[in-house]
DNA sequence: GTACAAAACTAACACTTATTAGTTTTTTTG
DNA sequence: CAAAAAAACTAATAAGTGTTAGTTTTGTAC
């Protein structure tokens, strides 16, 4: 009946993927059925398969789109001559912005990657590990150059990454806070406290 | 065949719940079947129902055991005359210890509460909201009394809660870090940076 | 308007799910 | 050892899963 709308420049596959991200976030990947996704789009479940390969492919697309965005930004920032502290600040701000701009997708990449099948699961984990290691490298260098407090670099990275992840909760308080103040307060808490 | 072992003082229901928490953490609630849980215990799926009411009851037990532990600790700490900053530090340390002592259960409570059915879902969320609000109150009072930097109290609480949550990642680096150093470094990062 | 392609539909498949009923085995109690 | 209780088993149910095949409808181009 109702055709799947391809909004703007995006394909119909993009429309489906977007809606899938929203549902996967709200209910979890395993608890979202293809019939439910189809219902939400206004179409029969079987019709989705004219546009996508499988349910798992949807998850893969979401997870790797996000992972690649972070990887690319990391490479961009790491290649500059900025101080380690400002590299960290810049990456934290990117995390915050991604969270605000692509909430559903980032959430799904953070929470539902476990449901990826091989070899995607292994790929995803190794990409994430590389990202973490690069951050640890920045912190280590910052400590060596006396920019940062002498804390365990792993703990610092873990604390930073987890804190920005917490922006998930922010959606609940959205009304009471503007994004810029949020970003600045969080960076302030995490970075200024970090500077020696 | 093989009977379900009731270890120590715990009932057989406890044994099942513990194993369920481990599986729900590893694979997610929806992706863990009762057959899989039973297999892991060494028994047929139907046999589990001699000890438990339902799959959902397992999740409820896990989520509310953890939620209650945090609520009780909050009441204990809130009732003292300690400074706000040391109340916060004490609660952060409790979070860290819970994470290290009851990893699977805390993880499941943090990630799988969405799969709770009504009215448990609503109860769980309101209990969590109360907890957050109490923390916000402590931070607000701390700011008023000039103990803490003037940051948005919601953002501070969100940052703190998310950071301790990140201890999930710690399991991966367990070998390289001892628990005490971890706890102190994290508190140092989060609190010392917070003190005016 | 007719041909072609895109994308919807219906119907079905093979499988898995949580859970129940009924029965048999094992353990505990007297 | 016999009786009672606990806890395992087998078998089945009804519902839901992702996905495919085959068909019909819809939109587009000449």
């Amino acid at each position: 009946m109702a055709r799947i709308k391809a909004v703007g420049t995006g394909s119909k596959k993009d429309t489906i993927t977007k809606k899938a991200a929203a549902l996967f976030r709200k209910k979890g990947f395993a608890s979202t059925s293809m019939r439910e996704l189809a219902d939400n789009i206004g179409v029969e479940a079987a019709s989705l398969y004219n546009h996508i390969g499988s349910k798992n492919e949807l998850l893969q697309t979401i997870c790797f789109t996000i992972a690649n965005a972070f990887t690319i930004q990391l490479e961009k920032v790491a290649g500059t001559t900025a101080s380690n502290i400002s590299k960290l600040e810049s990456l934290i701000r990117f995390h915050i912005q991604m969270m605000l701009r692509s909430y559903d997708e980032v959430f799904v990449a953070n929470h539902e990657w476990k449901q990826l099948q091989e070899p995607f699961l292994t790929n995803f984990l190794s990409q994430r590990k590389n990202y973490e290691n690069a951050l640890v490298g920045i912190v280590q260098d910052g400590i060596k150059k006396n920019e940062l407090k002498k804390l365990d670099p792993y703990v610092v990275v873990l604390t930073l990454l987890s804190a920005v992840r917490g922006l998930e909760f922010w959606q609940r308080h959205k009304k009471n806070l503007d994004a810029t103040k949020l970003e600045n307060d969080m960076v302030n808490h995490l970075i200024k406290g970090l500077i020696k």
Side-chain angles (χ1 to χ4, degrees), chain A residues 17-18 21 58-74 94-95 97-111 113 116 124 127-128 131 165:
Chain A
T17 308
K18 184 88 195 136
L58 284 173
L59 184 62
Q60 289 154 27
T61 302
I62 295 166
C63 288
F64 283 98
T65 300
I66 295 301
N68 292 340
F70 281 111
T71 299
I72 287 170
Q73 183 69 11
L74 172 66
F94 184 71
H95 270 266
Q97 280 156 27
M98 283 290 287
M99 202 57 145
L100 304 184
R101 210 181 319 127
S102 306
Y103 175 54
D104 290 331
E105 288 79 5
V106 175
F107 190 104
V108 169
N110 279 340
H111 287 82
W113 57 264
L116 287 169
F124 183 85
Q127 194 166 347
R128 195 176 70 170
Y131 187 83
R165 215 192 227 225

Side-chain angles (χ1 to χ4, degrees), chain A residues 50-176:
Chain A
N50 286 317
H51 306 282
I52 64 160
S54 67
K55 186 188 181 188
N56 270 277
E57 191 201 75
L58 284 173
L59 184 62
Q60 289 154 27
T61 302
I62 295 166
C63 288
F64 283 98
T65 300
I66 295 301
N68 292 340
F70 281 111
T71 299
I72 287 170
Q73 183 69 11
L74 172 66
E75 282 164 4
K76 203 179 286 177
V77 169
T80 67
T81 57
S83 69
N84 289 294
I85 194 86
S86 73
K87 282 181 184 173
L88 284 181
E89 173 167 341
S90 151
L91 285 170
I92 292 172
R93 287 188 189 274
F94 184 71
H95 270 266
I96 295 174
Q97 280 156 27
M98 283 290 287
M99 202 57 145
L100 304 184
R101 210 181 319 127
S102 306
Y103 175 54
D104 290 331
E105 288 79 5
V106 175
F107 190 104
V108 169
N110 279 340
H111 287 82
E112 303 292 334
W113 57 264
K114 284 183 193 188
Q115 314 291 336
L116 287 169
Q117 309 170 300
E118 294 296 355
F120 302 99
L121 179 58
T122 299
N123 288 163
F124 183 85
L125 284 177
S126 98
Q127 194 166 347
R128 195 176 70 170
K129 182 118 204 132
N130 286 343
Y131 187 83
E132 281 175 28
N133 286 344
L135 283 191
V136 167
I138 293 175
V139 172
Q140 275 172 337
D141 197 54
I143 293 174
K144 202 169 68 182
K145 292 188 176 145
N146 235 24
E147 294 174 47
L148 303 179
K149 278 188 186 162
K150 272 204 191 92
L151 299 171
D152 186 284
Y154 277 108
V155 176
V156 171
V157 168
L158 167 161
T159 304
L160 291 177
L161 288 181
S162 309
V164 291
R165 215 192 227 225
L167 288 168
E168 289 165 6
F169 296 117
W170 179 67
Q171 297 280 340
R172 288 191 272 129
H173 306 300
K174 218 168 186 173
K175 27 196 174 277
N176 312 321

